[in-house]
Amino acid sequence: MKTSKAIRNAKKEAYAAKQEKEGRNVINWIFGILIALGVVYAIYSIVMVS
């Protein structure tokens, strides 16, 4: 019994770690896209004012 419970807990922890890693990756992509869009908008604004 204890071994199956330990295996379940290990799998749960591994899954949680994987989810956290993927979540951080998604957040990094979102921030990267927002920064890129901000740069594009700044360039667009400069071109339109000139």
Side-chain angles (χ1 to χ4, degrees), residues 17-48:
K18 180 181 174 188
Q19 289 293 97
E20 182 178 353
K21 182 180 176 186
E22 289 178 4
R24 288 182 189 273
N25 193 18
V26 169
I27 290 171
N28 288 338
W29 270 100
I30 291 171
F31 280 128
I33 290 170
L34 287 174
I35 289 170
L37 288 174
V39 169
V40 169
Y41 180 72
I43 293 170
Y44 173 78
S45 297
I46 292 170
V47 169
M48 293 305 288

